[in-house]
Each structure stands twice: as C-alpha cells, then as structure tokens.
Amino acid sequence: MEIYVGDGAKKILDVDRDLDHEFQTLSGIGDEAYLEDGAVFVHAAGVWVAIRLVRLDDPARYHKPLTDLARTVAGRL
C-alpha cells in the first residue's frame, strides 16, 4: 500500500487522467473523490490524498474497501 498526501497525490491523479485511466466518481466523500482499479483519490479540507493498493488479484475485489477507506480519510481531514 502506498499513501500520498498533498501535491504528489494530486499529481498522480493528473497523470492517471492523462493516461486515460477509468475513474468512478465517489459521491458524498470529501469535496471530491475518485476510484480507479487499485487506487482511490480524495480531496477534503484543501488536501489531496491518494491511496494505492498493489495486488496481483482482481482489483474489483478492493473497490469497496478502498471506498470505505476514502470515506474514513475524508472524515479525518
């Protein structure tokens, strides 16, 4: 697991967007939040957080845990 806080987290999101990764918008989490296979991005209280999970099995298996983690992070910022 990798966790980035601040400008680096936003930069990872920007790079993944430039690479045409697919994102799901997560409603009701922070000011904005996005989920992609193996990662979640949260913007809350003026701070970006990226959490990346590196696994070799099906990434869809981790969508709910990453979404729950994003909700926890946003609630603590």
Coordinates of all heavy atoms in Angstrom, one line a residue:
M1 N 0.8 -1.2 0.0 CA 0.0 0.0 0.0 C 0.9 1.2 0.0 O 1.9 1.3 0.7 CB -0.9 0.0 1.2 CG -1.8 1.2 1.3 SD -3.0 1.1 2.6 CE -4.2 0.0 1.9
E2 N 0.5 2.2 -0.8 CA 1.2 3.5 -0.8 C 0.2 4.6 -0.5 O -0.9 4.6 -1.0 CB 1.8 3.7 -2.2 CG 2.8 2.7 -2.7 CD 3.2 2.9 -4.2 OE1 2.4 3.5 -4.9 OE2 4.3 2.5 -4.5
I3 N 0.6 5.5 0.3 CA -0.2 6.7 0.6 C 0.5 7.9 0.4 O 1.7 8.1 0.8 CB -0.6 6.6 2.1 CG1 -1.4 5.3 2.4 CG2 -1.5 7.8 2.5 CD1 -1.6 5.0 3.9
Y4 N -0.1 8.8 -0.4 CA 0.5 10.1 -0.7 C -0.4 11.2 -0.2 O -1.7 11.1 -0.4 CB 0.7 10.3 -2.2 CG 1.6 9.2 -2.8 CD1 1.1 8.0 -3.2 CD2 2.9 9.4 -3.0 CE1 1.9 7.0 -3.8 CE2 3.8 8.5 -3.5 CZ 3.2 7.3 -3.9 OH 4.1 6.3 -4.4
V5 N 0.1 12.3 0.3 CA -0.7 13.4 0.8 C -0.1 14.7 0.3 O 1.1 14.9 0.3 CB -0.6 13.4 2.4 CG1 -1.4 14.6 2.9 CG2 -1.1 12.1 3.0
G6 N -1.0 15.5 -0.2 CA -0.6 16.8 -0.8 C -0.5 16.8 -2.3 O -1.2 16.1 -3.0
D7 N 0.4 17.7 -2.8 CA 0.5 17.9 -4.2 C 0.9 16.6 -5.0 O 0.4 16.4 -6.1 CB 1.6 19.0 -4.5 CG 1.2 20.3 -4.0 OD1 0.0 20.6 -3.7 OD2 2.1 21.2 -3.8
G8 N 1.7 15.7 -4.4 CA 2.0 14.5 -5.0 C 0.8 13.6 -5.3 O 0.7 13.0 -6.3
A9 N -0.1 13.6 -4.4 CA -1.4 12.9 -4.6 C -2.1 13.4 -5.8 O -2.6 12.6 -6.6 CB -2.2 12.9 -3.3
K10 N -2.3 14.7 -5.9 CA -3.0 15.3 -7.0 C -2.2 15.0 -8.3 O -2.9 14.8 -9.3 CB -3.1 16.8 -6.8 CG -3.8 17.6 -7.9 CD -5.2 17.1 -8.1 CE -6.1 18.1 -8.9 NZ -5.9 17.9 -10.4
K11 N -0.9 15.0 -8.3 CA -0.1 14.8 -9.5 C -0.4 13.4 -10.0 O -0.5 13.2 -11.2 CB 1.4 15.0 -9.2 CG 2.2 14.9 -10.4 CD 1.9 15.9 -11.4 CE 2.9 15.8 -12.6 NZ 2.5 16.8 -13.6
I12 N -0.4 12.4 -9.1 CA -0.7 11.0 -9.5 C -2.1 11.0 -10.2 O -2.2 10.3 -11.3 CB -0.7 10.1 -8.3 CG1 0.7 10.0 -7.7 CG2 -1.2 8.7 -8.7 CD1 0.8 9.3 -6.4
L13 N -3.1 11.6 -9.7 CA -4.4 11.6 -10.3 C -4.3 12.3 -11.7 O -4.9 11.7 -12.6 CB -5.4 12.4 -9.4 CG -6.8 12.6 -10.0 CD1 -7.5 11.3 -10.3 CD2 -7.6 13.5 -9.0
D14 N -3.6 13.4 -11.8 CA -3.5 14.1 -13.1 C -2.8 13.2 -14.1 O -3.2 13.1 -15.3 CB -2.7 15.4 -12.9 CG -3.5 16.4 -12.1 OD1 -4.7 16.3 -12.0 OD2 -2.8 17.4 -11.6
V15 N -1.7 12.5 -13.7 CA -1.0 11.6 -14.6 C -1.9 10.5 -15.1 O -2.0 10.1 -16.3 CB 0.3 11.1 -14.0 CG1 0.9 9.9 -14.8 CG2 1.3 12.2 -13.8
D16 N -2.6 9.9 -14.1 CA -3.5 8.8 -14.5 C -4.6 9.2 -15.4 O -5.0 8.5 -16.3 CB -4.1 8.1 -13.2 CG -3.1 7.3 -12.5 OD1 -2.0 7.1 -12.9 OD2 -3.5 6.8 -11.4
R17 N -5.1 10.5 -15.2 CA -6.1 11.0 -16.2 C -5.5 11.2 -17.6 O -6.1 10.9 -18.6 CB -6.6 12.4 -15.7 CG -7.6 12.2 -14.5 CD -8.1 13.6 -14.0 NE -9.2 13.5 -13.1 CZ -9.5 14.4 -12.3 NH1 -8.8 15.6 -12.2 NH2 -10.5 14.2 -11.4
D18 N -4.3 11.7 -17.6 CA -3.6 11.9 -18.9 C -3.4 10.5 -19.6 O -3.3 10.5 -20.8 CB -2.2 12.6 -18.7 CG -2.4 14.0 -18.3 OD1 -3.5 14.6 -18.5 OD2 -1.4 14.6 -17.9
L19 N -3.3 9.5 -18.8 CA -3.1 8.1 -19.4 C -4.4 7.5 -19.7 O -4.5 6.3 -20.0 CB -2.3 7.3 -18.4 CG -0.8 7.7 -18.2 CD1 -0.2 6.9 -17.1 CD2 0.0 7.5 -19.5
D20 N -5.5 8.2 -19.6 CA -6.9 7.7 -19.9 C -7.3 6.6 -19.0 O -8.1 5.7 -19.4 CB -7.0 7.4 -21.3 CG -6.9 8.6 -22.2 OD1 -7.4 9.7 -21.8 OD2 -6.4 8.5 -23.4
H21 N -6.9 6.6 -17.7 CA -7.4 5.6 -16.8 C -8.9 5.8 -16.6 O -9.4 6.9 -16.7 CB -6.7 5.6 -15.5 CG -5.3 5.2 -15.5 ND1 -4.6 4.7 -14.4 CD2 -4.4 5.0 -16.6 CE1 -3.4 4.4 -14.7 NE2 -3.2 4.5 -16.0
E22 N -9.6 4.8 -16.3 CA -11.0 4.9 -16.0 C -11.3 5.2 -14.5 O -10.7 4.5 -13.7 CB -11.8 3.6 -16.4 CG -11.8 3.4 -17.9 CD -12.6 2.2 -18.3 OE1 -13.6 1.8 -17.5 OE2 -12.3 1.6 -19.3
F23 N -12.1 6.1 -14.2 CA -12.4 6.5 -12.8 C -13.9 6.5 -12.6 O -14.7 6.7 -13.5 CB -12.0 8.0 -12.6 CG -10.5 8.2 -12.6 CD1 -9.8 8.5 -13.8 CD2 -9.7 8.0 -11.5 CE1 -8.5 8.7 -13.8 CE2 -8.3 8.1 -11.5 CZ -7.7 8.5 -12.7
Q24 N -14.2 6.2 -11.3 CA -15.6 6.3 -10.9 C -15.6 7.4 -9.8 O -14.8 7.4 -8.9 CB -16.0 4.9 -10.2 CG -17.3 4.9 -9.5 CD -17.6 3.6 -8.8 OE1 -16.9 2.7 -8.9 NE2 -18.6 3.7 -8.0
T25 N -16.5 8.3 -10.0 CA -16.7 9.4 -9.0 C -17.4 8.9 -7.8 O -18.4 8.2 -7.9 CB -17.5 10.6 -9.6 OG1 -16.8 11.1 -10.8 CG2 -17.7 11.7 -8.6
L26 N -16.9 9.1 -6.6 CA -17.4 8.7 -5.4 C -18.2 9.9 -4.8 O -17.6 10.8 -4.3 CB -16.3 8.2 -4.4 CG -15.5 7.0 -5.0 CD1 -14.4 6.7 -4.0 CD2 -16.4 5.8 -5.2
S27 N -19.5 9.8 -4.8 CA -20.3 10.9 -4.2 C -20.4 10.9 -2.7 O -20.3 9.8 -2.1 CB -21.8 10.7 -4.7 OG -21.8 10.8 -6.1
G28 N -20.4 12.1 -2.1 CA -20.6 12.2 -0.7 C -19.3 11.9 0.1 O -19.4 11.7 1.3
I29 N -18.1 11.9 -0.6 CA -16.9 11.7 0.1 C -16.0 12.9 -0.1 O -15.6 13.2 -1.2 CB -16.2 10.4 -0.3 CG1 -17.0 9.2 -0.1 CG2 -14.8 10.3 0.3 CD1 -16.5 7.9 -0.6
G30 N -15.8 13.6 1.0 CA -14.9 14.8 0.9 C -15.5 15.8 -0.1 O -16.7 15.8 -0.4
D31 N -14.6 16.7 -0.6 CA -15.1 17.7 -1.6 C -15.1 17.0 -3.0 O -16.0 17.4 -3.8 CB -14.1 18.9 -1.7 CG -14.0 19.6 -0.3 OD1 -15.1 19.8 0.3 OD2 -12.9 20.0 0.1
E32 N -14.3 16.0 -3.2 CA -14.3 15.2 -4.4 C -13.5 13.9 -4.1 O -12.6 14.0 -3.4 CB -13.8 15.9 -5.7 CG -12.5 16.6 -5.6 CD -12.1 17.4 -6.8 OE1 -12.3 16.9 -7.9 OE2 -11.7 18.5 -6.6
A33 N -13.9 12.9 -4.8 CA -13.2 11.6 -4.6 C -13.4 10.7 -5.8 O -14.5 10.8 -6.5 CB -13.7 10.9 -3.4
Y34 N -12.4 10.0 -6.2 CA -12.4 9.1 -7.4 C -11.8 7.8 -7.1 O -10.8 7.7 -6.3 CB -11.6 9.8 -8.5 CG -12.1 11.2 -8.8 CD1 -11.4 12.3 -8.2 CD2 -13.2 11.4 -9.5 CE1 -11.8 13.6 -8.4 CE2 -13.6 12.7 -9.8 CZ -13.0 13.8 -9.2 OH -13.4 15.1 -9.4
L35 N -12.3 6.8 -7.7 CA -11.9 5.4 -7.5 C -11.4 4.9 -8.9 O -12.1 5.1 -9.9 CB -13.0 4.5 -7.0 CG -12.7 3.0 -6.9 CD1 -11.7 2.8 -5.7 CD2 -14.0 2.3 -6.6
E36 N -10.3 4.3 -8.9 CA -9.8 3.5 -10.1 C -9.3 2.2 -9.6 O -9.1 2.0 -8.4 CB -8.8 4.3 -10.9 CG -7.4 4.4 -10.3 CD -6.4 4.9 -11.2 OE1 -6.3 4.5 -12.4 OE2 -5.6 5.7 -10.7
D37 N -9.1 1.3 -10.5 CA -8.6 0.0 -10.1 C -7.3 0.1 -9.4 O -6.3 0.7 -9.9 CB -8.4 -0.9 -11.3 CG -9.7 -1.5 -11.9 OD1 -10.7 -1.4 -11.2 OD2 -9.6 -2.1 -13.0
G38 N -7.3 -0.3 -8.1 CA -6.1 -0.2 -7.3 C -5.8 1.1 -6.6 O -4.7 1.2 -6.0
A39 N -6.7 2.1 -6.7 CA -6.4 3.4 -6.1 C -7.6 4.2 -5.8 O -8.7 4.0 -6.5 CB -5.4 4.2 -7.0
V40 N -7.5 5.0 -4.9 CA -8.6 6.0 -4.6 C -7.9 7.3 -4.3 O -6.8 7.4 -3.7 CB -9.4 5.5 -3.4 CG1 -8.7 5.5 -2.1 CG2 -10.7 6.2 -3.2
F41 N -8.6 8.4 -4.7 CA -8.1 9.8 -4.5 C -9.2 10.6 -3.8 O -10.4 10.5 -4.2 CB -7.8 10.4 -5.9 CG -6.8 9.6 -6.7 CD1 -7.2 8.6 -7.6 CD2 -5.5 9.9 -6.6 CE1 -6.3 7.9 -8.3 CE2 -4.6 9.2 -7.3 CZ -5.0 8.2 -8.2
V42 N -8.8 11.3 -2.8 CA -9.8 12.1 -2.0 C -9.2 13.5 -1.9 O -8.1 13.7 -1.6 CB -9.9 11.5 -0.6 CG1 -10.9 12.3 0.2 CG2 -10.4 10.0 -0.7
H43 N -10.1 14.5 -2.0 CA -9.8 15.9 -1.8 C -10.8 16.4 -0.7 O -12.0 16.3 -0.9 CB -10.0 16.7 -3.1 CG -9.6 18.1 -2.9 ND1 -10.5 19.1 -3.1 CD2 -8.5 18.7 -2.5 CE1 -9.9 20.3 -2.9 NE2 -8.7 20.1 -2.5
A44 N -10.3 16.8 0.4 CA -11.1 17.3 1.5 C -10.3 18.3 2.3 O -9.1 18.1 2.5 CB -11.5 16.1 2.4
A45 N -10.9 19.3 2.8 CA -10.3 20.3 3.6 C -9.0 20.9 2.9 O -8.0 21.2 3.6 CB -10.0 19.8 5.0
G46 N -9.1 21.0 1.6 CA -7.9 21.6 0.9 C -6.7 20.6 0.7 O -5.7 21.1 0.2
V47 N -6.9 19.4 1.0 CA -5.8 18.4 1.0 C -6.1 17.2 0.1 O -7.2 16.7 0.2 CB -5.4 17.9 2.4 CG1 -4.3 16.8 2.3 CG2 -5.1 19.0 3.3
W48 N -5.2 16.9 -0.8 CA -5.4 15.7 -1.6 C -4.7 14.5 -1.0 O -3.6 14.6 -0.5 CB -4.8 15.9 -3.0 CG -5.7 16.6 -4.0 CD1 -5.7 17.9 -4.3 CD2 -6.8 16.0 -4.7 NE1 -6.7 18.2 -5.2 CE2 -7.4 17.0 -5.4 CE3 -7.3 14.7 -4.8 CZ2 -8.5 16.8 -6.3 CZ3 -8.4 14.5 -5.6 CH2 -8.9 15.5 -6.4
V49 N -5.4 13.3 -1.0 CA -4.8 12.1 -0.5 C -5.0 11.0 -1.6 O -6.1 10.9 -2.2 CB -5.4 11.6 0.8 CG1 -4.9 10.3 1.2 CG2 -5.3 12.7 1.9
A50 N -3.9 10.3 -1.9 CA -4.0 9.2 -2.8 C -3.6 7.9 -2.1 O -2.6 7.9 -1.4 CB -3.1 9.4 -4.0
I51 N -4.4 6.9 -2.2 CA -4.1 5.6 -1.6 C -4.0 4.6 -2.8 O -5.0 4.4 -3.5 CB -5.1 5.2 -0.6 CG1 -5.2 6.3 0.5 CG2 -4.8 3.8 0.0 CD1 -6.3 6.1 1.5
R52 N -2.9 3.9 -2.9 CA -2.7 2.9 -4.0 C -2.4 1.6 -3.4 O -1.6 1.5 -2.5 CB -1.6 3.3 -4.9 CG -1.9 4.6 -5.7 CD -0.8 5.2 -6.5 NE 0.1 4.2 -7.1 CZ 1.0 4.5 -8.0 NH1 1.1 5.8 -8.4 NH2 1.7 3.6 -8.6
L53 N -3.2 0.6 -3.8 CA -3.1 -0.8 -3.3 C -2.5 -1.6 -4.5 O -3.0 -1.7 -5.5 CB -4.4 -1.3 -2.9 CG -4.5 -2.7 -2.4 CD1 -3.7 -2.8 -1.1 CD2 -5.9 -3.1 -2.2
V54 N -1.4 -2.2 -4.2 CA -0.7 -3.0 -5.2 C -1.0 -4.5 -4.9 O -0.5 -5.0 -3.9 CB 0.8 -2.8 -5.2 CG1 1.5 -3.6 -6.3 CG2 1.1 -1.3 -5.4
R55 N -1.8 -5.1 -5.7 CA -2.2 -6.5 -5.6 C -2.2 -7.2 -6.9 O -2.3 -6.5 -8.0 CB -3.5 -6.7 -5.0 CG -3.7 -6.1 -3.6 CD -3.1 -6.9 -2.5 NE -3.6 -8.2 -2.6 CZ -3.5 -9.1 -1.6 NH1 -3.0 -8.7 -0.5 NH2 -4.0 -10.3 -1.7
L56 N -2.0 -8.5 -7.0 CA -2.0 -9.2 -8.3 C -3.3 -9.9 -8.6 O -3.5 -10.4 -9.7 CB -0.9 -10.3 -8.3 CG 0.5 -9.7 -8.1 CD1 1.5 -10.8 -8.1 CD2 0.8 -8.8 -9.3
D57 N -4.3 -9.8 -7.7 CA -5.6 -10.4 -8.0 C -6.5 -9.4 -8.5 O -6.2 -8.2 -8.7 CB -6.1 -11.2 -6.8 CG -6.1 -10.4 -5.5 OD1 -5.4 -9.4 -5.4 OD2 -6.9 -10.7 -4.5
D58 N -7.8 -9.8 -8.7 CA -8.8 -8.9 -9.3 C -9.0 -7.6 -8.5 O -9.4 -7.6 -7.4 CB -10.1 -9.7 -9.3 CG -11.2 -8.9 -10.0 OD1 -11.0 -7.8 -10.6 OD2 -12.4 -9.3 -9.9
P59 N -8.7 -6.4 -9.2 CA -8.8 -5.2 -8.5 C -10.2 -4.8 -8.1 O -10.4 -4.1 -7.1 CB -8.2 -4.1 -9.5 CG -8.2 -4.8 -10.8 CD -8.2 -6.3 -10.5
A60 N -11.2 -5.3 -8.7 CA -12.6 -5.1 -8.4 C -12.9 -5.5 -7.0 O -13.8 -5.0 -6.3 CB -13.6 -5.7 -9.4
R61 N -12.2 -6.5 -6.5 CA -12.3 -7.1 -5.2 C -12.1 -6.0 -4.1 O -12.6 -6.1 -3.0 CB -11.4 -8.2 -5.1 CG -11.5 -9.1 -3.9 CD -10.6 -10.2 -4.0 NE -10.5 -10.8 -2.7 CZ -9.7 -11.7 -2.3 NH1 -8.8 -12.2 -3.2 NH2 -9.6 -12.1 -1.1
Y62 N -11.3 -5.0 -4.4 CA -10.9 -4.0 -3.4 C -11.6 -2.6 -3.6 O -11.3 -1.7 -2.9 CB -9.4 -3.8 -3.5 CG -8.7 -5.1 -3.3 CD1 -8.2 -5.9 -4.3 CD2 -8.6 -5.6 -2.0 CE1 -7.6 -7.1 -4.1 CE2 -7.9 -6.8 -1.7 CZ -7.5 -7.5 -2.8 OH -6.9 -8.8 -2.5
H63 N -12.6 -2.6 -4.5 CA -13.3 -1.3 -4.7 C -14.0 -0.9 -3.4 O -13.9 0.3 -3.0 CB -14.3 -1.4 -5.8 CG -13.7 -1.4 -7.2 ND1 -14.4 -1.4 -8.3 CD2 -12.4 -1.4 -7.6 CE1 -13.6 -1.4 -9.4 NE2 -12.3 -1.4 -8.9
K64 N -14.8 -1.8 -2.8 CA -15.5 -1.4 -1.5 C -14.5 -1.0 -0.4 O -14.7 0.0 0.2 CB -16.5 -2.4 -1.1 CG -17.2 -2.0 0.1 CD -18.3 -3.0 0.6 CE -19.0 -2.6 1.8 NZ -18.6 -1.6 2.7
P65 N -13.5 -1.8 -0.1 CA -12.6 -1.4 0.9 C -11.9 -0.1 0.6 O -11.7 0.7 1.6 CB -11.5 -2.6 1.0 CG -12.3 -3.8 0.4 CD -13.2 -3.2 -0.6
L66 N -11.5 0.2 -0.6 CA -10.9 1.5 -0.9 C -11.8 2.6 -0.8 O -11.5 3.7 -0.3 CB -10.3 1.4 -2.3 CG -9.0 0.7 -2.5 CD1 -8.6 0.5 -4.0 CD2 -7.8 1.4 -1.7
T67 N -13.1 2.4 -1.2 CA -14.1 3.4 -1.0 C -14.3 3.7 0.5 O -14.4 4.9 0.9 CB -15.4 3.0 -1.7 OG1 -15.2 2.8 -3.1 CG2 -16.5 4.0 -1.5
D68 N -14.4 2.6 1.3 CA -14.6 2.8 2.8 C -13.4 3.6 3.3 O -13.6 4.4 4.2 CB -14.8 1.5 3.4 CG -16.0 0.8 3.1 OD1 -17.0 1.4 2.6 OD2 -16.1 -0.5 3.3
L69 N -12.2 3.2 2.9 CA -11.0 3.9 3.3 C -11.0 5.4 3.0 O -10.7 6.3 3.8 CB -9.8 3.2 2.8 CG -8.4 3.6 3.3 CD1 -8.4 3.5 4.8 CD2 -7.4 2.8 2.7
A70 N -11.5 5.7 1.8 CA -11.6 7.1 1.3 C -12.5 7.9 2.2 O -12.3 9.0 2.6 CB -12.1 7.2 -0.1
R71 N -13.6 7.2 2.6 CA -14.6 7.9 3.5 C -14.0 8.2 4.8 O -14.2 9.3 5.4 CB -15.9 7.0 3.6 CG -17.0 7.6 4.3 CD -18.3 6.8 4.2 NE -18.9 7.0 2.9 CZ -18.9 6.1 2.0 NH1 -18.4 4.9 2.1 NH2 -19.5 6.3 0.8
T72 N -13.2 7.2 5.3 CA -12.6 7.4 6.6 C -11.5 8.6 6.6 O -11.5 9.4 7.4 CB -11.9 6.1 7.1 OG1 -12.9 5.1 7.2 CG2 -11.1 6.3 8.4
V73 N -10.7 8.6 5.5 CA -9.7 9.6 5.4 C -10.4 11.0 5.3 O -10.0 11.9 5.9 CB -8.9 9.3 4.1 CG1 -8.0 10.6 3.7 CG2 -8.0 8.1 4.3
A74 N -11.4 11.1 4.4 CA -12.1 12.4 4.3 C -12.7 12.9 5.6 O -12.6 14.1 5.9 CB -13.2 12.3 3.2
G75 N -13.2 12.0 6.4 CA -13.8 12.3 7.7 C -12.7 12.8 8.7 O -13.1 13.5 9.7
R76 N -11.5 12.4 8.5 CA -10.4 12.8 9.4 C -9.6 14.0 9.0 O -8.8 14.5 9.8 CB -9.5 11.6 9.6 CG -10.2 10.5 10.4 CD -9.3 9.3 10.7 NE -10.1 8.3 11.3 CZ -9.5 7.1 11.7 NH1 -8.3 6.9 11.5 NH2 -10.3 6.2 12.3
L77 N -9.8 14.5 7.8 CA -9.1 15.7 7.4 C -9.8 16.9 7.9 O -10.9 17.0 8.1 CB -9.0 15.7 5.8 CG -8.1 14.7 5.2 CD1 -8.1 14.7 3.7 CD2 -6.6 14.9 5.7

